[in-house]
Amino acid sequence: RALATGRVDYSQIWSTLGRELIVGTLLGFLYGALLGAFGFLSFMNSPTVNAIALGGVISASLLASMLLSVIVSTLLPFILQRLRLDPAVVTAPFVTTVTDVFGILLYLAVATAFLL
């Protein structure tokens, strides 16, 4: 939106990314802690599930997914504008697809790293 209204231009890409990364990191830690605790509490009495590992997998993968989402959704409009494409038209479906696909891949990668 800021690109379309002229409040932000290409020269501000790194400061914009920095601000967005701060917010994304804070939200990732908050949501990761809440959902990791929920996962831990849901399975802490299960004899077959390592509740601590499950909570860690949920927390770490949510943080990683949030950071990926912030990076893609911040940089993509700048890249599209530089390519003379309308960021408003292309960004939403592309960001949704990338964050969904890579969010699942990140979850599986973190789960593999934690649980093996």
Side-chain angles (χ1 to χ4, degrees):
R1 169 114 172 95
L3 277 172
T5 61
R7 287 188 16 233
V8 175
D9 64 6
Y10 197 77
S11 66
Q12 297 168 310
I13 189 170
W14 300 116
S15 62
T16 303
L17 181 61
R19 282 193 313 272
E20 294 295 328
L21 279 172
I22 291 169
V23 172
T25 302
L26 292 172
L27 289 174
F29 275 122
L30 176 67
Y31 295 151
L34 290 173
L35 290 175
F38 178 76
F40 170 76
L41 293 172
S42 296
F43 289 94
M44 69 181 192
N45 293 326
S46 173
T48 58
V49 175
N50 182 346
I52 295 172
L54 177 65
V57 165
I58 293 170
S59 296
S61 62
L62 191 58
L63 173 62
S65 181
M66 183 70 77
L67 291 176
L68 173 72
S69 175
V70 164
I71 292 168
V72 170
S73 63
T74 302
L75 294 180
L76 185 63
F78 286 106
I79 293 168
L80 292 172
Q81 184 184 39
R82 185 60 85 159
L83 295 172
R84 301 197 192 289
L85 298 171
D86 184 8
V89 174
V90 181
T91 299
F94 191 78
V95 167
T96 302
T97 303
V98 167
T99 56
D100 287 349
V101 169
F102 282 100
I104 292 169
L105 291 175
L106 281 168
Y107 173 74
L108 294 174
V110 170
T112 301
F114 267 71
L115 303 175
L116 288 182

